[in-house]
Amino acid sequence: MDLSDAVIINSSRLKSVVWNDFDRVKKGDLCVAICRHCKKKLSGSSTSGTSHLRNHLIRCQRRSNHDITQLIPARERKRERPLAIANFSFNQEQKKDEGLNLVNIKFDSDQVKDDNANAVTVGSNYDQRRSQFDLARMIIIHGYPLNMVEHVGFKVFVKNLQPLFELVTTNKIEADCLEIYEKEKQKVFEVLDKLPGRISLSIDAWAGSGDVQYFCLAAYFIDESWQLKKKILNFVSVDSSHTDDMQADVIMTCLMDWDIDRKLFSMTFDGSSSDFFVLRIRDRLSQNRFLYGSGQLFEVRCVATVLNQMVQDNLEALGEVIYKIRESIRYVKSSQAMLEKLNKLAQQESIETEKCLSLDNSFRWDSTYRMLEVALEYKTAFSLLRELDPLFTVCPSDVEWERASAITGYLNVFLEVMNDFSRSRYPTANIYFPLICDIHLKLIGWCKSSDDYISSLALKMRSRFDEYWDKCSLGLAVAAFLDPRFKMKLVEYYFPQIYGSTSLERIDEISSRIKALYNEHSIGSPLSTLHHGQAWQVGGSTGSLSGPGNDAKDRLVGFDKFLNETSQSDGTKSDLDKYLEEPLFPRNVDFNVLNWWKVHTPRYPILSMMARNVLGTPMSKVHSESVFNMGGRVLERDRSSLSSATLQALMCSQDWIKSELES
């Protein structure tokens, strides 16, 4: 359009702020608005309004000032203003390139309704560096692939959303993720350094692509607020061909990198024959006297893993019957007519159930249990259908139905125990003892079955369980003792049922170990004259315990031992004595053992140190959402292709940022 003879209209008479960035010219009856930045021509007619002009200014890449809030009318600004962020304090010393601190954000929906809310909103001035870090955090938190930044759809979305954002490469976003990891790692390092108690570790094996295997090391601890916390520390690749000593070296290197090799209390692992490297680590730490009880409580076998192995024994024993039940369900669900025929037979047999037959997910044993549970309710209907339909040949026999009923009863016991485990995301160690004792008693009864098929299966499970019990019963009992609702009474209740005539000897042994562990904590207590970390020995046939330090230069370490022993014999009651003398705390649904110890720390300063270390032990390392999974943890293909440093950075920083957001 030729505008050589057009007339510029005085913009001072125009009320909208958009005219600060446009020239309005008139040629004849036609009005045109010309952007002063990019010279683009748009309609300037009074009937066209100014919305299209505001939209252009928001996207105009040649416009130097991109604070667009003034372009939004007050009415729309109130309705469409940015989401308010409550309780957010911006650190003025924080560098701009650190990006928005996700941890301190708390969204308050009520502020959207309150126009006068006193809140801080995110500034509208564009910051490329901050946006890059926000993108990197998003990728870390949600586990997105790094190369998503080069996807066409992502590029189009970002350019339309914010044309000023300079698209980044996969290498650049990877570098940003590594930078975030280093900053978050320093925060975790400071937390671990200031802990008032010991740290317990878990080792979880992950499978990658090919034969690559990974170890995920996670720290469990009770912080100064008596909250049980978990932090993933390392995600490292290991060669399955390496010896136990070589695998132990990998883990020890990780522990020394975090400077926690002197602060360990226990280590939880699967307990398979390939886990001897944990024993190597225990022996090394015990030699340096870093462990309480000479490492008697260090080796913890994952109870969920043991129970899942016992479940697998049941499913293998019932393998052929499970196959027949699956095929029977497929047969009757192959047509609506066949399903109606089965339902009529069920009515004829007075089977009253609202549950529907369905196939299981073979990767989750709780799904298989539910399939068996419902099929058993229809077993008489299935048996009738077998007699009436010559094509129905896969129905289990009466004996097989009986075995399925017995084994499903076993599975129900394990299911209830697993559900108790999974009610809390990070359950404290005190909840496990009564659950495991109940399973112990069930196994004793199952082994007495007159059915050789059932008794042989029970003996196989009993053998697997006894190996676990021999290693972990002490830790389970000590944790139960530190629950003020039970103390020694729970041990005194279960052991006679489990051990019979030898129960008193077993109870005395647990009591002796508890006293020795308490004495060791009393020597390491700040209340003691002994400096924290000195080495000492408590003699005794059942409680030979070496302290958690190794400073041999202290010539008065023997005097400190003498002082501890004589102070307990001069009539002064110890924490342990007072704890045992007081009545049991009433049992109730809302009881929180950590809150109890938080409140009673002033009364039991030494015993509370012991409780902090013992109750933080992860008796199970399986996540609550994975307790019924039959397979192991498998790394996604995208993650398997990353370098070891990048993979560790993504896995660890995701855990750290998520846990802080959730808290």
Side-chain angles (χ1 to χ4, degrees):
M1 178 187 297
D2 183 12
L3 298 177
S4 59
D5 57 345
V7 178
I8 298 178
I9 301 174
N10 186 2
S11 62
S12 63
R13 294 182 297 175
L14 303 174
K15 295 181 180 180
S16 177
V17 294
V18 300
W19 295 111
N20 294 332
D21 295 275
F22 282 93
D23 288 324
R24 190 183 187 200
V25 300
K26 185 174 184 181
K27 182 176 181 179
D29 295 332
L30 181 63
C31 290
V32 179
I34 303 175
C35 178
R36 295 177 180 176
H37 308 287
C38 68
K39 305 305 179 184
K40 185 171 183 177
K41 302 177 183 64
L42 301 169
S43 174
S45 171
S46 59
T47 60
S48 301
T50 57
S51 296
H52 64 298
L53 303 181
R54 288 198 303 272
N55 292 337
H56 170 76
L57 289 177
I58 292 172
R59 292 176 172 81
C60 181
Q61 298 191 32
R62 294 195 179 184
R63 185 169 176 268
S64 58
N65 180 13
H66 287 270
D67 186 358
I68 63 173
T69 54
Q70 60 178 330
L71 300 176
I72 303 175
R75 181 175 56 190
E76 296 183 15
R77 210 176 302 162
K78 182 184 296 184
R79 186 176 71 250
E80 300 179 4
R81 67 184 184 180
L83 183 62
I85 300 177
N87 302 329
F88 174 67
S89 57
F90 185 78
N91 185 357
Q92 297 295 332
E93 298 179 357
Q94 184 182 23
K95 297 180 182 179
K96 285 187 176 182
D97 62 358
E98 290 183 358
L100 184 64
N101 188 351
L102 295 176
V103 174
N104 296 326
I105 295 177
K106 181 180 180 181
F107 295 106
D108 189 349
S109 58
D110 291 336
Q111 291 185 354
V112 178
K113 302 175 183 178
D114 185 2
D115 294 336
N116 298 319
N118 181 18
V120 180
T121 58
V122 179
S124 57
N125 289 332
Y126 174 70
D127 187 327
Q128 170 72 19
R129 190 65 176 153
R130 173 169 293 182
S131 297
Q132 280 185 217
F133 274 99
D134 288 342
L135 174 59
R137 285 189 181 90
M138 179 190 74
I139 289 174
I140 290 172
I141 292 172
H142 300 291
Y144 297 144
L146 293 176
N147 64 355
M148 69 167 285
V149 298
E150 298 183 358
H151 293 174
V152 174
F154 176 78
K155 291 181 178 181
V156 172
F157 169 75
V158 170
K159 273 303 178 184
N160 287 333
L161 182 67
Q162 175 52 271
L164 288 180
F165 182 77
E166 297 177 10
L167 295 169
V168 295
T169 63
T170 300
N171 290 338
K172 177 57 181 171
I173 206 68
E174 181 178 0
D176 290 341
C177 290
L178 290 170
E179 187 172 342
I180 291 172
Y181 163 72
E182 291 298 334
K183 292 176 181 177
E184 295 296 328
K185 181 179 180 180
Q186 183 60 32
K187 295 179 187 178
V188 177
F189 188 90
E190 292 172 0
V191 169
L192 298 181
D193 185 57
K194 298 176 182 178
L195 282 179
R198 290 294 184 108
I199 297 169
S200 291
L201 287 182
S202 71
I203 300 181
D204 202 9
W206 287 58
S209 59
D211 296 330
V212 180
Q213 188 181 27
Y214 298 90
F215 280 164
C216 179
L217 272 66
Y220 293 76
F221 55 87
I222 296 175
D223 64 14
E224 65 281 354
S225 301
W226 283 90
Q227 297 292 317
L228 181 58
K229 302 290 186 181
K230 174 196 172 189
K231 300 284 185 184
I232 293 179
L233 301 184
N234 293 94
F235 198 89
V236 294
S237 60
V238 290
D239 193 327
S240 57
S241 64
H242 285 174
T243 64
D244 293 330
D245 284 328
M246 295 171 72
Q247 292 184 352
D249 287 339
V250 171
I251 296 174
M252 286 301 300
T253 300
C254 295
L255 300 181
M256 289 186 287
D257 178 53
W258 284 99
D259 194 25
I260 60 173
D261 51 311
R262 298 167 180 258
K263 303 177 183 178
L264 293 187
F265 185 78
S266 69
M267 182 173 286
T268 304
F269 60 108
D270 285 336
S272 63
S273 58
S274 60
D275 289 333
F276 288 118
F277 64 88
V278 176
L279 307 183
R280 300 285 195 277
I281 296 171
R282 183 199 64 185
D283 293 341
R284 294 184 192 183
L285 297 177
S286 295
Q287 288 174 2
N288 293 324
R289 297 181 180 178
F290 290 157
L291 297 178
Y292 280 106
S294 299
Q296 293 170 352
L297 298 177
F298 180 76
E299 182 185 349
V300 179
R301 310 244 174 142
C302 175
V303 62
T305 300
V306 173
L307 295 185
N308 275 328
Q309 290 170 347
M310 294 166 67
V311 167
Q312 187 64 39
D313 291 338
N314 282 268
L315 296 180
E316 289 178 357
L318 202 63
E320 185 176 351
V321 180
I322 291 175
Y323 168 78
K324 289 183 177 181
I325 290 175
R326 284 195 187 113
E327 293 304 311
S328 297
I329 294 174
R330 285 195 180 98
Y331 184 80
V332 299
K333 291 175 73 71
S334 61
S335 69
Q336 186 63 30
M338 185 60 66
L339 187 59
E340 291 176 357
K341 185 176 182 179
L342 181 74
N343 288 331
K344 288 180 180 179
L345 293 174
Q347 292 177 359
Q348 178 181 327
E349 291 296 307
S350 301
I351 298 173
E352 298 180 359
T353 180
E354 296 180 355
K355 299 176 182 178
C356 298
L357 291 166
S358 61
L359 292 171
D360 64 328
N361 176 358
S362 59
F363 294 102
R364 288 183 60 91
W365 69 261
D366 59 326
S367 173
T368 303
Y369 163 79
R370 292 188 181 91
M371 179 189 73
L372 296 174
E373 182 185 35
V374 177
L376 283 166
E377 295 188 28
Y378 284 90
K379 67 177 182 179
T380 55
F382 275 120
S383 298
L384 281 177
L385 182 63
R386 178 183 58 192
E387 296 174 3
L388 298 174
D389 187 349
L391 298 178
F392 183 39
T393 59
V394 292
C395 182
S397 65
D398 292 341
V399 173
E400 288 175 327
W401 279 119
E402 290 178 5
R403 291 176 177 175
S405 179
I407 291 179
T408 302
Y410 298 169
L411 294 179
N412 180 58
V413 172
F414 296 126
L415 181 76
E416 291 178 352
V417 171
M418 289 294 205
N419 282 330
D420 285 336
F421 291 169
S422 60
R423 286 194 179 100
S424 175
R425 186 176 181 187
Y426 304 132
T428 47
N430 58 301
I431 73 168
Y432 292 90
F433 182 74
L435 301 174
I436 299 305
C437 286
D438 282 341
I439 289 180
H440 199 163
L441 294 175
K442 289 282 195 312
L443 285 169
I444 293 173
W446 295 344
C447 289
K448 297 177 181 178
S449 173
S450 58
D451 186 333
D452 292 340
Y453 177 85
I454 297 299
S455 61
S456 62
L457 172 61
L459 287 170
K460 182 178 181 180
M461 290 191 290
R462 175 74 182 272
S463 174
R464 195 185 295 277
F465 179 86
D466 285 346
E467 184 180 355
Y468 166 80
W469 180 258
D470 290 342
K471 292 289 184 182
C472 299
S473 58
L474 172 62
L476 293 168
V478 174
F481 166 80
L482 291 167
D483 189 325
R485 300 170 299 172
F486 305 127
K487 301 182 182 179
M488 281 299 294
K489 292 298 182 181
L490 206 58
V491 176
E492 294 168 359
Y493 169 73
Y494 277 112
F495 273 28
Q497 300 178 64
I498 294 173
Y499 293 111
S501 59
T502 63
S503 61
L504 289 179
E505 180 183 343
R506 300 276 186 169
I507 293 171
D508 289 341
E509 181 180 358
I510 296 295
S511 180
S512 177
R513 296 283 180 88
I514 289 173
K515 290 177 182 178
L517 186 62
Y518 171 81
N519 289 338
E520 191 173 359
H521 278 81
S522 68
I523 291 295
S525 168
L527 301 178
S528 169
T529 57
L530 181 62
H531 186 275
H532 179 68
Q534 302 299 322
W536 68 285
Q537 298 262 337
V538 175
S541 60
T542 61
S544 181
L545 301 169
S546 62
N550 64 343
D551 188 356
K553 295 182 179 180
D554 190 340
R555 301 180 184 278
L556 295 180
V557 65
F559 169 74
D560 291 313
K561 175 187 173 184
F562 163 78
L563 204 63
N564 179 71
E565 292 173 346
T566 55
S567 65
Q568 295 182 20
S569 60
D570 62 3
T572 303
K573 289 186 178 180
S574 67
D575 286 9
L576 186 60
D577 294 330
K578 291 186 290 185
Y579 179 74
L580 288 171
E581 288 176 359
E582 293 189 353
L584 298 181
F585 191 81
R587 289 195 296 122
N588 60 74
V589 176
D590 298 327
F591 179 76
N592 185 317
V593 69
L594 297 185
N595 284 345
W596 192 93
W597 280 106
K598 180 180 180 180
V599 172
H600 290 81
T601 293
R603 178 164 177 76
Y604 309 111
I606 297 174
L607 198 60
S608 66
M609 290 174 53
M610 178 173 157
R612 189 189 294 273
N613 292 333
V614 173
L615 296 178
T617 302
M619 295 298 178
S620 172
K621 64 180 181 59
V622 179
H623 296 279
S624 58
E625 64 273 13
S626 304
V627 293
F628 301 111
N629 289 351
M630 298 306 296
R633 306 294 296 272
V634 180
L635 197 64
E636 296 176 356
R637 182 178 299 178
D638 290 336
R639 292 291 176 94
S640 295
S641 62
L642 298 172
S643 67
S644 57
T646 301
L647 176 60
Q648 176 167 262
L650 293 176
M651 298 295 287
C652 293
S653 53
Q654 180 188 52
D655 174 75
W656 301 336
I657 296 175
K658 271 189 171 183
S659 63
E660 291 191 22
L661 285 172
E662 291 170 356
S663 63

